[in-house]
PDB file of all heavy atoms in Angstrom:
ATOM      1  N   ALA A  35     -29.385 -23.072  20.955  1.00  0.00           N
ATOM      2  CA  ALA A  35     -29.258 -24.002  22.103  1.00  0.00           C
ATOM      3  C   ALA A  35     -30.405 -23.897  23.086  1.00  0.00           C
ATOM      4  O   ALA A  35     -30.961 -24.887  23.451  1.00  0.00           O
ATOM      5  CB  ALA A  35     -27.892 -23.657  22.793  1.00  0.00           C
ATOM      6  N   TYR A  36     -30.870 -22.636  23.357  1.00  0.00           N
ATOM      7  CA  TYR A  36     -32.040 -22.600  24.261  1.00  0.00           C
ATOM      8  C   TYR A  36     -33.212 -23.132  23.514  1.00  0.00           C
ATOM      9  O   TYR A  36     -34.156 -23.853  24.366  1.00  0.00           O
ATOM     10  CB  TYR A  36     -32.229 -20.969  24.526  1.00  0.00           C
ATOM     11  CG  TYR A  36     -31.072 -20.469  25.294  1.00  0.00           C
ATOM     12  CD1 TYR A  36     -30.942 -19.126  25.130  1.00  0.00           C
ATOM     13  CD2 TYR A  36     -30.332 -21.045  26.191  1.00  0.00           C
ATOM     14  CE1 TYR A  36     -29.952 -18.301  25.780  1.00  0.00           C
ATOM     15  CE2 TYR A  36     -29.341 -20.321  26.842  1.00  0.00           C
ATOM     16  CZ  TYR A  36     -29.006 -19.075  26.670  1.00  0.00           C
ATOM     17  OH  TYR A  36     -28.105 -18.487  27.376  1.00  0.00           O
ATOM     18  N   ALA A  37     -33.437 -22.988  22.253  1.00  0.00           N
ATOM     19  CA  ALA A  37     -34.582 -23.447  21.667  1.00  0.00           C
ATOM     20  C   ALA A  37     -34.658 -25.050  21.669  1.00  0.00           C
ATOM     21  O   ALA A  37     -35.676 -25.576  21.967  1.00  0.00           O
ATOM     22  CB  ALA A  37     -34.854 -23.008  20.245  1.00  0.00           C
ATOM     23  N   ARG A  38     -33.386 -25.644  21.412  1.00  0.00           N
ATOM     24  CA  ARG A  38     -33.399 -27.018  21.502  1.00  0.00           C
ATOM     25  C   ARG A  38     -33.594 -27.688  22.798  1.00  0.00           C
ATOM     26  O   ARG A  38     -34.342 -28.551  22.986  1.00  0.00           O
ATOM     27  CB  ARG A  38     -31.982 -27.518  20.986  1.00  0.00           C
ATOM     28  CG  ARG A  38     -31.794 -28.958  20.848  1.00  0.00           C
ATOM     29  CD  ARG A  38     -30.433 -29.420  20.326  1.00  0.00           C
ATOM     30  NE  ARG A  38     -30.316 -30.848  20.139  1.00  0.00           N
ATOM     31  CZ  ARG A  38     -29.996 -31.649  21.230  1.00  0.00           C
ATOM     32  NH1 ARG A  38     -29.781 -31.171  22.370  1.00  0.00           N
ATOM     33  NH2 ARG A  38     -29.897 -33.027  21.085  1.00  0.00           N
ATOM     34  N   ALA A  39     -33.103 -27.036  23.809  1.00  0.00           N
ATOM     35  CA  ALA A  39     -33.292 -27.412  25.245  1.00  0.00           C
ATOM     36  C   ALA A  39     -34.701 -27.329  25.660  1.00  0.00           C
ATOM     37  O   ALA A  39     -35.375 -28.230  26.205  1.00  0.00           O
ATOM     38  CB  ALA A  39     -32.430 -26.611  26.153  1.00  0.00           C
ATOM     39  N   ILE A  40     -35.295 -26.172  25.320  1.00  0.00           N
ATOM     40  CA  ILE A  40     -36.724 -25.957  25.739  1.00  0.00           C
ATOM     41  C   ILE A  40     -37.516 -26.957  25.080  1.00  0.00           C
ATOM     42  O   ILE A  40     -38.576 -27.387  25.620  1.00  0.00           O
ATOM     43  CB  ILE A  40     -37.147 -24.613  25.366  1.00  0.00           C
ATOM     44  CG1 ILE A  40     -36.428 -23.532  26.394  1.00  0.00           C
ATOM     45  CG2 ILE A  40     -38.625 -24.280  25.387  1.00  0.00           C
ATOM     46  CD1 ILE A  40     -36.700 -22.003  25.990  1.00  0.00           C
ATOM     47  N   ASP A  41     -37.363 -27.350  23.682  1.00  0.00           N
ATOM     48  CA  ASP A  41     -38.147 -28.185  23.022  1.00  0.00           C
ATOM     49  C   ASP A  41     -38.156 -29.593  23.695  1.00  0.00           C
ATOM     50  O   ASP A  41     -39.052 -30.332  23.534  1.00  0.00           O
ATOM     51  CB  ASP A  41     -37.777 -28.273  21.532  1.00  0.00           C
ATOM     52  CG  ASP A  41     -38.469 -27.357  20.622  1.00  0.00           C
ATOM     53  OD1 ASP A  41     -39.521 -26.950  20.955  1.00  0.00           O
ATOM     54  OD2 ASP A  41     -37.969 -27.024  19.560  1.00  0.00           O
ATOM     55  N   GLN A  42     -37.044 -29.928  24.453  1.00  0.00           N
ATOM     56  CA  GLN A  42     -36.927 -31.284  24.934  1.00  0.00           C
ATOM     57  C   GLN A  42     -37.329 -31.425  26.366  1.00  0.00           C
ATOM     58  O   GLN A  42     -37.085 -32.397  26.982  1.00  0.00           O
ATOM     59  CB  GLN A  42     -35.439 -31.800  24.765  1.00  0.00           C
ATOM     60  CG  GLN A  42     -35.140 -31.911  23.165  1.00  0.00           C
ATOM     61  CD  GLN A  42     -33.767 -32.420  23.035  1.00  0.00           C
ATOM     62  OE1 GLN A  42     -33.336 -33.636  23.402  1.00  0.00           O
ATOM     63  NE2 GLN A  42     -32.828 -31.655  22.522  1.00  0.00           N
ATOM     64  N   LEU A  43     -37.821 -30.376  26.989  1.00  0.00           N
ATOM     65  CA  LEU A  43     -38.295 -30.296  28.334  1.00  0.00           C
ATOM     66  C   LEU A  43     -39.481 -31.198  28.427  1.00  0.00           C
ATOM     67  O   LEU A  43     -40.222 -31.406  27.522  1.00  0.00           O
ATOM     68  CB  LEU A  43     -38.574 -28.949  28.659  1.00  0.00           C
ATOM     69  CG  LEU A  43     -37.362 -27.914  28.998  1.00  0.00           C
ATOM     70  CD1 LEU A  43     -37.937 -26.455  29.350  1.00  0.00           C
ATOM     71  CD2 LEU A  43     -36.470 -28.351  30.144  1.00  0.00           C
ATOM     72  N   ALA A  44     -39.473 -31.712  29.633  1.00  0.00           N
ATOM     73  CA  ALA A  44     -40.575 -32.741  30.009  1.00  0.00           C
ATOM     74  C   ALA A  44     -41.993 -31.977  30.320  1.00  0.00           C
ATOM     75  O   ALA A  44     -42.923 -32.610  30.657  1.00  0.00           O
ATOM     76  CB  ALA A  44     -40.278 -33.597  31.122  1.00  0.00           C
ATOM     77  N   PHE A  45     -42.017 -30.667  30.222  1.00  0.00           N
ATOM     78  CA  PHE A  45     -43.189 -29.976  30.374  1.00  0.00           C
ATOM     79  C   PHE A  45     -43.318 -28.891  29.319  1.00  0.00           C
ATOM     80  O   PHE A  45     -42.469 -28.498  28.606  1.00  0.00           O
ATOM     81  CB  PHE A  45     -43.208 -29.321  31.709  1.00  0.00           C
ATOM     82  CG  PHE A  45     -41.959 -28.543  32.078  1.00  0.00           C
ATOM     83  CD1 PHE A  45     -41.696 -27.317  31.722  1.00  0.00           C
ATOM     84  CD2 PHE A  45     -41.032 -29.228  32.903  1.00  0.00           C
ATOM     85  CE1 PHE A  45     -40.479 -26.573  32.057  1.00  0.00           C
ATOM     86  CE2 PHE A  45     -39.789 -28.472  33.173  1.00  0.00           C
ATOM     87  CZ  PHE A  45     -39.534 -27.198  32.785  1.00  0.00           C
ATOM     88  N   GLY A  46     -44.519 -28.405  29.027  1.00  0.00           N
ATOM     89  CA  GLY A  46     -44.797 -27.465  27.939  1.00  0.00           C
ATOM     90  C   GLY A  46     -44.232 -26.005  28.396  1.00  0.00           C
ATOM     91  O   GLY A  46     -44.401 -25.749  29.546  1.00  0.00           O
ATOM     92  N   VAL A  47     -43.775 -25.303  27.534  1.00  0.00           N
ATOM     93  CA  VAL A  47     -43.352 -23.873  27.656  1.00  0.00           C
ATOM     94  C   VAL A  47     -44.015 -22.884  26.553  1.00  0.00           C
ATOM     95  O   VAL A  47     -43.762 -23.310  25.449  1.00  0.00           O
ATOM     96  CB  VAL A  47     -41.868 -23.830  27.715  1.00  0.00           C
ATOM     97  CG1 VAL A  47     -41.446 -22.388  27.990  1.00  0.00           C
ATOM     98  CG2 VAL A  47     -41.217 -24.746  28.889  1.00  0.00           C
ATOM     99  N   ILE A  48     -44.629 -22.062  26.970  1.00  0.00           N
ATOM    100  CA  ILE A  48     -45.149 -21.102  26.041  1.00  0.00           C
ATOM    101  C   ILE A  48     -44.600 -19.701  26.574  1.00  0.00           C
ATOM    102  O   ILE A  48     -44.738 -19.277  27.703  1.00  0.00           O
ATOM    103  CB  ILE A  48     -46.666 -21.088  26.077  1.00  0.00           C
ATOM    104  CG1 ILE A  48     -47.180 -22.417  25.539  1.00  0.00           C
ATOM    105  CG2 ILE A  48     -47.274 -19.968  25.181  1.00  0.00           C
ATOM    106  CD1 ILE A  48     -48.650 -22.562  25.676  1.00  0.00           C
ATOM    107  N   ILE A  49     -44.105 -18.881  25.642  1.00  0.00           N
ATOM    108  CA  ILE A  49     -43.468 -17.587  25.924  1.00  0.00           C
ATOM    109  C   ILE A  49     -44.304 -16.522  25.248  1.00  0.00           C
ATOM    110  O   ILE A  49     -44.685 -16.464  24.133  1.00  0.00           O
ATOM    111  CB  ILE A  49     -42.075 -17.395  25.498  1.00  0.00           C
ATOM    112  CG1 ILE A  49     -41.218 -18.495  26.006  1.00  0.00           C
ATOM    113  CG2 ILE A  49     -41.433 -16.045  25.882  1.00  0.00           C
ATOM    114  CD1 ILE A  49     -41.000 -18.564  27.556  1.00  0.00           C
ATOM    115  N   LEU A  50     -44.881 -15.490  26.168  1.00  0.00           N
ATOM    116  CA  LEU A  50     -45.558 -14.351  25.598  1.00  0.00           C
ATOM    117  C   LEU A  50     -44.683 -13.105  25.730  1.00  0.00           C
ATOM    118  O   LEU A  50     -44.027 -12.987  26.661  1.00  0.00           O
ATOM    119  CB  LEU A  50     -46.893 -14.229  26.284  1.00  0.00           C
ATOM    120  CG  LEU A  50     -47.861 -15.381  26.509  1.00  0.00           C
ATOM    121  CD1 LEU A  50     -49.047 -14.961  27.225  1.00  0.00           C
ATOM    122  CD2 LEU A  50     -48.214 -15.969  25.199  1.00  0.00           C
ATOM    123  N   ASN A  51     -44.834 -12.281  24.816  1.00  0.00           N
ATOM    124  CA  ASN A  51     -44.079 -10.962  24.974  1.00  0.00           C
ATOM    125  C   ASN A  51     -44.966  -9.946  25.799  1.00  0.00           C
ATOM    126  O   ASN A  51     -45.987 -10.299  26.264  1.00  0.00           O
ATOM    127  CB  ASN A  51     -43.722 -10.380  23.625  1.00  0.00           C
ATOM    128  CG  ASN A  51     -45.024  -9.947  22.704  1.00  0.00           C
ATOM    129  OD1 ASN A  51     -46.080  -9.907  23.220  1.00  0.00           O
ATOM    130  ND2 ASN A  51     -44.883  -9.709  21.507  1.00  0.00           N
ATOM    131  N   GLU A  52     -44.456  -8.728  25.930  1.00  0.00           N
ATOM    132  CA  GLU A  52     -45.166  -7.790  26.821  1.00  0.00           C
ATOM    133  C   GLU A  52     -46.561  -7.420  26.396  1.00  0.00           C
ATOM    134  O   GLU A  52     -47.323  -6.804  27.060  1.00  0.00           O
ATOM    135  CB  GLU A  52     -44.267  -6.493  27.087  1.00  0.00           C
ATOM    136  CG  GLU A  52     -44.069  -5.663  25.721  1.00  0.00           C
ATOM    137  CD  GLU A  52     -43.179  -6.121  24.759  1.00  0.00           C
ATOM    138  OE1 GLU A  52     -42.523  -7.170  25.038  1.00  0.00           O
ATOM    139  OE2 GLU A  52     -42.854  -5.346  23.797  1.00  0.00           O
ATOM    140  N   ARG A  53     -46.872  -7.692  25.087  1.00  0.00           N
ATOM    141  CA  ARG A  53     -48.218  -7.410  24.645  1.00  0.00           C
ATOM    142  C   ARG A  53     -49.118  -8.629  24.618  1.00  0.00           C
ATOM    143  O   ARG A  53     -50.307  -8.361  24.206  1.00  0.00           O
ATOM    144  CB  ARG A  53     -48.098  -6.812  23.149  1.00  0.00           C
ATOM    145  CG  ARG A  53     -47.375  -5.491  23.027  1.00  0.00           C
ATOM    146  CD  ARG A  53     -47.413  -4.919  21.647  1.00  0.00           C
ATOM    147  NE  ARG A  53     -46.773  -5.786  20.730  1.00  0.00           N
ATOM    148  CZ  ARG A  53     -45.542  -5.858  20.485  1.00  0.00           C
ATOM    149  NH1 ARG A  53     -44.634  -5.110  21.220  1.00  0.00           N
ATOM    150  NH2 ARG A  53     -44.928  -6.648  19.671  1.00  0.00           N
ATOM    151  N   GLY A  54     -48.704  -9.664  25.110  1.00  0.00           N
ATOM    152  CA  GLY A  54     -49.444 -10.826  25.337  1.00  0.00           C
ATOM    153  C   GLY A  54     -49.429 -11.802  23.973  1.00  0.00           C
ATOM    154  O   GLY A  54     -50.218 -12.678  24.005  1.00  0.00           O
ATOM    155  N   HIS A  55     -48.559 -11.426  23.030  1.00  0.00           N
ATOM    156  CA  HIS A  55     -48.546 -12.172  21.694  1.00  0.00           C
ATOM    157  C   HIS A  55     -47.699 -13.498  21.963  1.00  0.00           C
ATOM    158  O   HIS A  55     -46.466 -13.318  22.777  1.00  0.00           O
ATOM    159  CB  HIS A  55     -47.973 -11.391  20.597  1.00  0.00           C
ATOM    160  CG  HIS A  55     -48.804 -10.264  20.295  1.00  0.00           C
ATOM    161  ND1 HIS A  55     -48.465  -9.040  19.637  1.00  0.00           N
ATOM    162  CD2 HIS A  55     -50.176 -10.036  20.399  1.00  0.00           C
ATOM    163  CE1 HIS A  55     -49.422  -8.263  19.326  1.00  0.00           C
ATOM    164  NE2 HIS A  55     -50.520  -8.845  19.815  1.00  0.00           N
ATOM    165  N   VAL A  56     -47.956 -14.543  21.379  1.00  0.00           N
ATOM    166  CA  VAL A  56     -47.157 -15.840  21.622  1.00  0.00           C
ATOM    167  C   VAL A  56     -45.814 -15.577  20.775  1.00  0.00           C
ATOM    168  O   VAL A  56     -45.835 -15.357  19.591  1.00  0.00           O
ATOM    169  CB  VAL A  56     -47.952 -16.947  21.001  1.00  0.00           C
ATOM    170  CG1 VAL A  56     -47.014 -18.246  21.140  1.00  0.00           C
ATOM    171  CG2 VAL A  56     -49.173 -17.315  21.935  1.00  0.00           C
ATOM    172  N   VAL A  57     -44.773 -15.782  21.497  1.00  0.00           N
ATOM    173  CA  VAL A  57     -43.488 -15.737  20.921  1.00  0.00           C
ATOM    174  C   VAL A  57     -42.900 -17.134  20.591  1.00  0.00           C
ATOM    175  O   VAL A  57     -42.394 -17.227  19.467  1.00  0.00           O
ATOM    176  CB  VAL A  57     -42.368 -15.072  21.851  1.00  0.00           C
ATOM    177  CG1 VAL A  57     -41.023 -15.046  21.282  1.00  0.00           C
ATOM    178  CG2 VAL A  57     -42.805 -13.590  22.141  1.00  0.00           C
ATOM    179  N   SER A  58     -43.141 -18.139  21.415  1.00  0.00           N
ATOM    180  CA  SER A  58     -42.653 -19.466  21.133  1.00  0.00           C
ATOM    181  C   SER A  58     -43.466 -20.454  21.897  1.00  0.00           C
ATOM    182  O   SER A  58     -44.125 -20.096  22.983  1.00  0.00           O
ATOM    183  CB  SER A  58     -41.190 -19.675  21.498  1.00  0.00           C
ATOM    184  OG  SER A  58     -40.969 -19.532  22.837  1.00  0.00           O
ATOM    185  N   VAL A  59     -43.633 -21.648  21.324  1.00  0.00           N
ATOM    186  CA  VAL A  59     -44.434 -22.825  22.039  1.00  0.00           C
ATOM    187  C   VAL A  59     -43.548 -23.969  21.705  1.00  0.00           C
ATOM    188  O   VAL A  59     -43.237 -24.391  20.595  1.00  0.00           O
ATOM    189  CB  VAL A  59     -45.689 -22.972  21.240  1.00  0.00           C
ATOM    190  CG1 VAL A  59     -46.585 -24.104  21.927  1.00  0.00           C
ATOM    191  CG2 VAL A  59     -46.605 -21.742  21.336  1.00  0.00           C
ATOM    192  N   ASN A  60     -42.940 -24.614  22.844  1.00  0.00           N
ATOM    193  CA  ASN A  60     -42.144 -25.905  22.711  1.00  0.00           C
ATOM    194  C   ASN A  60     -42.965 -27.101  22.173  1.00  0.00           C
ATOM    195  O   ASN A  60     -44.237 -27.080  22.181  1.00  0.00           O
ATOM    196  CB  ASN A  60     -41.356 -26.080  23.761  1.00  0.00           C
ATOM    197  CG  ASN A  60     -42.042 -26.746  25.083  1.00  0.00           C
ATOM    198  OD1 ASN A  60     -43.254 -26.730  25.006  1.00  0.00           O
ATOM    199  ND2 ASN A  60     -41.305 -27.354  25.868  1.00  0.00           N
ATOM    200  N   GLU A  61     -42.243 -28.023  21.814  1.00  0.00           N
ATOM    201  CA  GLU A  61     -42.904 -29.308  21.306  1.00  0.00           C
ATOM    202  C   GLU A  61     -43.876 -29.994  22.314  1.00  0.00           C
ATOM    203  O   GLU A  61     -44.998 -30.397  21.938  1.00  0.00           O
ATOM    204  CB  GLU A  61     -41.908 -30.325  20.838  1.00  0.00           C
ATOM    205  CG  GLU A  61     -41.083 -29.863  19.684  1.00  0.00           C
ATOM    206  CD  GLU A  61     -40.082 -30.795  19.155  1.00  0.00           C
ATOM    207  OE1 GLU A  61     -40.077 -31.954  19.821  1.00  0.00           O
ATOM    208  OE2 GLU A  61     -39.289 -30.608  18.265  1.00  0.00           O
ATOM    209  N   THR A  62     -43.514 -29.963  23.587  1.00  0.00           N
ATOM    210  CA  THR A  62     -44.400 -30.600  24.565  1.00  0.00           C
ATOM    211  C   THR A  62     -45.640 -29.836  24.668  1.00  0.00           C
ATOM    212  O   THR A  62     -46.710 -30.312  24.828  1.00  0.00           O
ATOM    213  CB  THR A  62     -43.587 -30.673  25.901  1.00  0.00           C
ATOM    214  OG1 THR A  62     -42.366 -31.337  25.670  1.00  0.00           O
ATOM    215  CG2 THR A  62     -44.438 -31.504  26.989  1.00  0.00           C
ATOM    216  N   ALA A  63     -45.525 -28.520  24.786  1.00  0.00           N
ATOM    217  CA  ALA A  63     -46.647 -27.521  24.914  1.00  0.00           C
ATOM    218  C   ALA A  63     -47.607 -27.840  23.649  1.00  0.00           C
ATOM    219  O   ALA A  63     -48.926 -27.873  23.912  1.00  0.00           O
ATOM    220  CB  ALA A  63     -46.236 -26.106  24.933  1.00  0.00           C
ATOM    221  N   THR A  64     -47.060 -27.964  22.499  1.00  0.00           N
ATOM    222  CA  THR A  64     -47.843 -28.185  21.318  1.00  0.00           C
ATOM    223  C   THR A  64     -48.724 -29.448  21.497  1.00  0.00           C
ATOM    224  O   THR A  64     -49.962 -29.496  21.156  1.00  0.00           O
ATOM    225  CB  THR A  64     -47.094 -28.215  20.127  1.00  0.00           C
ATOM    226  OG1 THR A  64     -46.421 -26.981  19.817  1.00  0.00           O
ATOM    227  CG2 THR A  64     -47.865 -28.496  18.738  1.00  0.00           C
ATOM    228  N   ALA A  65     -48.042 -30.429  22.046  1.00  0.00           N
ATOM    229  CA  ALA A  65     -48.797 -31.821  22.223  1.00  0.00           C
ATOM    230  C   ALA A  65     -49.882 -31.576  23.219  1.00  0.00           C
ATOM    231  O   ALA A  65     -50.909 -32.186  23.083  1.00  0.00           O
ATOM    232  CB  ALA A  65     -47.804 -32.844  22.675  1.00  0.00           C
ATOM    233  N   LEU A  66     -49.580 -30.904  24.264  1.00  0.00           N
ATOM    234  CA  LEU A  66     -50.531 -30.672  25.320  1.00  0.00           C
ATOM    235  C   LEU A  66     -51.746 -29.822  24.937  1.00  0.00           C
ATOM    236  O   LEU A  66     -52.935 -30.153  25.336  1.00  0.00           O
ATOM    237  CB  LEU A  66     -49.847 -30.023  26.562  1.00  0.00           C
ATOM    238  CG  LEU A  66     -48.995 -30.855  27.463  1.00  0.00           C
ATOM    239  CD1 LEU A  66     -48.213 -30.044  28.419  1.00  0.00           C
ATOM    240  CD2 LEU A  66     -49.722 -31.884  28.232  1.00  0.00           C
ATOM    241  N   LEU A  67     -51.513 -28.857  24.115  1.00  0.00           N
ATOM    242  CA  LEU A  67     -52.612 -28.068  23.535  1.00  0.00           C
ATOM    243  C   LEU A  67     -53.576 -28.965  22.796  1.00  0.00           C
ATOM    244  O   LEU A  67     -54.791 -28.892  22.793  1.00  0.00           O
ATOM    245  CB  LEU A  67     -52.014 -26.860  22.817  1.00  0.00           C
ATOM    246  CG  LEU A  67     -51.310 -25.770  23.533  1.00  0.00           C
ATOM    247  CD1 LEU A  67     -50.916 -24.633  22.574  1.00  0.00           C
ATOM    248  CD2 LEU A  67     -51.944 -25.228  24.671  1.00  0.00           C
ATOM    249  N   GLU A  68     -52.893 -29.772  21.964  1.00  0.00           N
ATOM    250  CA  GLU A  68     -53.648 -30.670  21.080  1.00  0.00           C
ATOM    251  C   GLU A  68     -54.454 -31.676  21.837  1.00  0.00           C
ATOM    252  O   GLU A  68     -55.605 -31.909  21.529  1.00  0.00           O
ATOM    253  CB  GLU A  68     -52.750 -31.291  19.935  1.00  0.00           C
ATOM    254  CG  GLU A  68     -52.227 -30.207  18.953  1.00  0.00           C
ATOM    255  CD  GLU A  68     -51.277 -30.994  18.066  1.00  0.00           C
ATOM    256  OE1 GLU A  68     -51.012 -32.286  18.260  1.00  0.00           O
ATOM    257  OE2 GLU A  68     -50.720 -30.303  17.207  1.00  0.00           O
ATOM    258  N   SER A  69     -53.826 -32.201  22.869  1.00  0.00           N
ATOM    259  CA  SER A  69     -54.463 -33.388  23.486  1.00  0.00           C
ATOM    260  C   SER A  69     -55.522 -32.973  24.532  1.00  0.00           C
ATOM    261  O   SER A  69     -56.583 -33.592  24.729  1.00  0.00           O
ATOM    262  CB  SER A  69     -53.348 -34.119  24.161  1.00  0.00           C
ATOM    263  OG  SER A  69     -52.706 -33.552  25.266  1.00  0.00           O
ATOM    264  N   SER A  70     -55.295 -31.820  25.096  1.00  0.00           N
ATOM    265  CA  SER A  70     -56.184 -31.301  26.172  1.00  0.00           C
ATOM    266  C   SER A  70     -57.454 -30.542  25.560  1.00  0.00           C
ATOM    267  O   SER A  70     -58.514 -30.638  26.119  1.00  0.00           O
ATOM    268  CB  SER A  70     -55.467 -30.451  27.145  1.00  0.00           C
ATOM    269  OG  SER A  70     -55.164 -29.220  26.522  1.00  0.00           O
ATOM    270  N   GLY A  71     -57.162 -29.708  24.552  1.00  0.00           N
ATOM    271  CA  GLY A  71     -58.193 -28.866  23.939  1.00  0.00           C
ATOM    272  C   GLY A  71     -58.675 -27.866  24.889  1.00  0.00           C
ATOM    273  O   GLY A  71     -59.642 -27.264  24.789  1.00  0.00           O
ATOM    274  N   LEU A  72     -57.961 -27.536  25.866  1.00  0.00           N
ATOM    275  CA  LEU A  72     -58.241 -26.477  26.888  1.00  0.00           C
ATOM    276  C   LEU A  72     -57.708 -25.214  26.514  1.00  0.00           C
ATOM    277  O   LEU A  72     -58.149 -24.103  27.089  1.00  0.00           O
ATOM    278  CB  LEU A  72     -57.739 -26.952  28.277  1.00  0.00           C
ATOM    279  CG  LEU A  72     -58.479 -28.194  28.785  1.00  0.00           C
ATOM    280  CD1 LEU A  72     -57.691 -28.727  30.112  1.00  0.00           C
ATOM    281  CD2 LEU A  72     -59.893 -27.938  29.049  1.00  0.00           C
TER     282      LEU A  72
END
Side-chain angles (χ1 to χ4, degrees):
Y36 294 151
R38 182 177 180 276
I40 289 174
D41 267 340
Q42 296 182 67
L43 289 174
F45 45 84
V47 180
I48 299 176
I49 306 297
L50 309 181
N51 65 16
E52 70 278 7
R53 296 184 299 277
H55 296 153
V56 175
V57 175
S58 67
V59 182
N60 77 342
E61 292 179 2
T62 306
T64 299
L66 283 170
L67 295 184
E68 292 177 355
S69 63
S70 71
L72 295 171

